[in-house]
Amino acid sequence: MLRSWKSKPLRYHAPVLVCLLAIIVLLLLPTGFEGALNYQEAERCTARVLSVDDSTIIDTGLVRSGEQRCQLEILDGVFAGQIVTGVNMLNGSLEQDKIFSPGDTAMVVVSHDGDAITNVTMSDHYRLGWEALLAAIFIVLLVAFAGPTGVRAILSFCLTILCLWKILVPLYLRGLNPIWAGLAVTLLLTILILALVYGFDRRCLSAVSGSFLGVLVACVLGVVFTDLFQIHGAVMENSESLLYSGYAHLNLTQIFMASIFIGAAGAVMDLSVDITSAVHEVVEKRPDLGWREAARSGMNVGRAAMGTMTTTLLFAYSGGYISLLMVFMAQGTPVDHILNYKYVAAEIIHTIIGSIGLVAVAPFTALCAGVFLAKGGRKLAPEALSQQGAEADRQPDPAP
């Protein structure tokens, strides 16, 4: 493996160093919102549930309201080891409410006045341990099956999360134009992620060019059809809460527009890599191939891949709405009414415009790959000529 690593050119390994440096910088970079805590005089910690008191819970059919009182042992923080009573408020919502049992570990907010605890509110079940285990399984399997490529995939995964959390979200909260900010962050991630795949070479340039042109198509169509469909950005889940949290200046509709092309960017990059790699292989086997023929080969690959990629977007966007579709069917809602609902129209925009971006990326990437990778019918490189000569010498002479 070390010999293989040394045999690679520097431009192939440079993106790894760049991404590692970017990850370190992003980890240290403050968002500017660290002090925006709702509970300044509170301690956030974990606690073990020792016993529960459900006597004040009111059951009304499926709905439970009231409060659940729990005896807790605080596990960490300045109050570690203390036994306290925590309150779990029930709002009558199956989606938001949680019920604790003895032995559970809970996230709690401990309000205090100096060293005296005034109130303990139970936020939710503690899940970070299991989430860490799941992430570890993902990393181990990825590295075991993909080797060094899996390490690069993990780097791109971490870089994407940090860019969204440390750059894009703070820029949105500060009121920067969501579309321009989204395009800038998407372009940055596209360059770095595709560079991790190819290194800084012509294949990377080809895939980045095709990907970003497809993203631009999705961006323009997203802006146009969001206006035509008269969709307000508040259709996004929990987005309206921002307006009542001191961020009334935010343009939720533009944030929704940006989410359209950001959501499709991953699939767009995937398809551009498929086409670029295919064209590169063809050109390597046929160095005399012109750019038009190379681009035509890329288009053939794109046509084969587009059918499944568009379906992938459909599954990705509609998978979370199965329960809503079940409600529509159970209530006998007519299909034309379903399609006309604002939140359904919003998902139609996401799915169809994302698919159009995929359709557009195929010819763009094929054209860019043909131009950047093919030698355009120029004279064969000396090494290719010598290889062809050697192959000709090995051929047996024709029979007289």
Side-chain angles (χ1 to χ4, degrees):
M1 182 180 294
L2 182 60
R3 182 180 301 175
S4 175
W5 190 88
K6 290 182 176 179
S7 66
K8 299 281 188 180
L10 178 61
R11 64 174 179 269
Y12 179 73
H13 299 295
V16 176
L17 302 177
V18 172
C19 287
L20 282 173
L21 180 61
I23 288 173
I24 293 172
V25 171
L26 289 172
L27 285 172
L28 300 175
L29 181 70
T31 63
F33 295 89
E34 286 79 8
L37 298 176
N38 289 333
Y39 305 99
Q40 297 288 350
E41 298 297 327
E43 177 82 10
R44 300 168 186 271
C45 54
T46 59
R48 182 181 295 109
V49 179
L50 302 177
S51 62
V52 297
D53 178 9
D54 297 340
S55 59
T56 57
I57 294 179
I58 302 172
D59 292 315
T60 309
L62 295 174
V63 177
R64 312 190 80 181
S65 57
E67 64 182 34
Q68 181 187 40
R69 293 190 169 272
C70 304
Q71 286 294 114
L72 306 171
E73 178 188 358
I74 299 179
L75 300 178
D76 52 30
V78 297
F79 301 105
Q82 295 193 28
I83 306 299
V84 296
T85 300
V87 179
N88 173 31
M89 298 300 300
L90 303 177
N91 302 313
S93 170
L94 292 176
E95 178 185 4
Q96 298 177 359
D97 289 343
K98 55 276 177 187
I99 297 293
F100 295 94
S101 301
D104 289 347
T105 303
M107 291 287 292
V108 300
V109 178
V110 180
S111 302
H112 58 90
D113 184 8
D115 294 334
I117 297 176
T118 58
N119 185 49
V120 178
T121 302
M122 305 179 69
S123 300
D124 212 327
H125 290 88
Y126 182 78
R127 302 182 178 92
L128 298 185
W130 294 113
E131 290 174 358
L133 175 62
L134 187 62
I137 293 173
F138 166 68
I139 292 172
V140 169
L141 290 177
L142 191 58
V143 174
F145 286 108
T149 303
V151 175
R152 290 171 178 260
I154 293 168
L155 287 177
S156 67
F157 190 85
C158 296
L159 182 65
T160 302
I161 292 175
L162 289 172
C163 279
L164 295 178
W165 181 248
K166 289 295 190 82
I167 298 178
L168 189 64
V169 173
L171 289 179
Y172 280 2
L173 288 174
R174 287 187 173 90
L176 200 70
N177 186 289
I179 296 175
W180 291 113
L183 285 174
V185 172
T186 302
L187 177 59
L188 173 65
L189 286 172
T190 300
I191 293 172
L192 293 178
I193 292 172
L194 294 179
L196 283 171
V197 175
Y198 293 123
F200 292 121
D201 63 7
R202 289 179 177 270
R203 290 174 298 171
C204 178
L205 177 61
S206 167
V208 169
S209 301
S211 295
F212 197 65
L213 288 172
V215 167
L216 284 177
V217 170
C219 173
V220 172
L221 292 177
V223 171
V224 171
F225 280 92
T226 298
D227 285 338
L228 291 177
F229 280 29
Q230 298 182 13
I231 301 295
H232 192 279
V235 73
M236 297 181 293
E237 188 176 4
N238 297 322
S239 60
E240 194 172 355
S241 300
L242 281 169
L243 303 181
Y244 306 112
S245 302
Y247 294 94
H249 62 282
L250 296 182
N251 190 325
L252 297 181
T253 302
Q254 287 189 349
I255 295 175
F256 172 80
M257 294 173 179
S259 71
I260 297 172
F261 62 81
I262 292 174
V268 165
M269 278 190 280
D270 191 12
L271 184 55
S272 70
V273 166
D274 291 342
I275 296 173
T276 299
S277 297
V279 173
H280 178 259
E281 287 298 314
V282 170
V283 171
E284 286 294 299
K285 298 296 186 296
R286 287 280 310 278
D288 61 320
L289 202 65
W291 70 268
R292 290 184 178 85
E293 292 178 83
R296 192 176 299 115
S297 298
M299 273 302 302
N300 291 334
V301 174
R303 290 191 187 99
M306 275 188 288
T308 55
M309 293 301 296
T310 53
T311 309
T312 300
L313 280 182
L314 176 61
F315 280 126
Y317 288 131
S318 63
Y321 283 85
I322 293 298
S323 59
L324 180 62
L325 296 178
M326 293 170 65
V327 170
F328 287 145
M329 182 170 290
Q331 294 179 347
T333 308
V335 175
D336 57 339
H337 287 202
I338 295 174
L339 296 177
N340 201 59
Y341 285 135
K342 181 167 62 175
Y343 39 88
V344 175
E347 290 307 310
I348 290 174
I349 287 179
H350 270 289
T351 304
I352 295 183
I353 290 182
S355 299
I356 292 175
L358 277 176
V359 172
V361 79
F364 283 142
T365 305
L367 179 61
C368 292
V371 172
F372 294 138
L373 301 181
K375 295 179 174 59
R378 296 196 304 266
K379 185 178 179 181
L380 294 178
E383 59 272 15
L385 286 173
S386 61
Q387 182 180 359
Q388 285 187 359
E391 292 177 354
D393 292 339
R394 289 195 295 268
Q395 295 294 328
D397 293 333

